[in-house]
Amino acid sequence: MFLVMGSPLLRIGSFQEILFSDSFTSKTQSSQKHLVLLRDGRTLIGILRSIDQFANLVLHQTVERIHVGKKFGDIPRGIFVVRGENVVLLGEVDLDKECDQILQRVSIEEILEEQRTEQQAKQESERLKLQAVKERGLSIPKADTLDDF
């Protein structure tokens, strides 16, 4: 279970409460790892060093975790600055409960190859769906044309 800044839910506007609390300042100085889910689907894990009222983050010793099926791999990224509008979820990682029994850790090369294979399979599936729709005389508007409405 991920806790967002020590509470089960993060209310709108509570970043200001977090910024000015003494407990948050002491937590950021420790080695508490945090998980950040980004809008583009990437998952980052690192030590939270800074946060502001816009949810802009600075993560230290960051790794990008890639999940494919029951496998995962960590790509070291170092210091990572995240613009607040890209943050979907921010949670503290409980290192005592983190276990690799369910998921298997693999090398960076292996997880990237698995991810590439999975993306190709998704693209092929989408191509086949689009072809089936076209054969029935229907059309699907492209995602970029939907913004015009």
Side-chain angles (χ1 to χ4, degrees), residues 33-139:
K33 288 203 172 197
H34 287 77
L35 179 138
V36 179
L37 180 62
L38 299 179
R39 192 168 60 173
D40 64 359
R42 289 187 289 169
T43 303
L44 303 174
I45 299 174
I47 300 169
L48 181 64
R49 291 296 181 201
S50 179
I51 186 172
D52 66 6
Q53 70 268 25
F54 303 109
N56 296 319
L57 309 173
V58 177
L59 296 169
H60 182 248
Q61 296 177 356
T62 307
V63 294
E64 180 179 350
R65 182 160 287 179
I66 298 174
H67 296 91
V68 178
K70 297 229 179 232
K71 298 178 182 178
F72 76 94
D74 290 340
I75 302 173
R77 298 293 189 196
I79 295 176
F80 216 89
V81 179
V82 181
R83 187 176 168 109
E85 66 182 18
N86 295 312
V87 176
V88 173
L89 176 115
L90 171 64
E92 189 175 321
V93 177
D94 188 354
L95 296 176
D96 297 333
K97 293 185 181 180
E98 186 178 29
C99 65
D100 299 337
Q101 295 175 358
I102 299 170
L103 299 175
Q104 175 189 3
R105 181 186 294 266
V106 295
S107 69
I108 295 171
E109 294 81 17
E110 188 176 342
I111 198 65
L112 290 175
E113 183 61 35
E114 293 271 342
Q115 184 183 39
R116 192 173 307 112
T117 304
E118 182 182 60
Q119 287 174 346
Q120 288 173 349
K122 282 183 182 179
Q123 287 175 350
E124 180 64 20
S125 172
E126 287 297 317
R127 189 187 66 76
L128 290 173
K129 286 179 188 177
L130 185 61
Q131 182 180 356
V133 168
K134 283 183 179 179
E135 287 173 359
R136 289 173 176 82
L138 302 171
S139 66

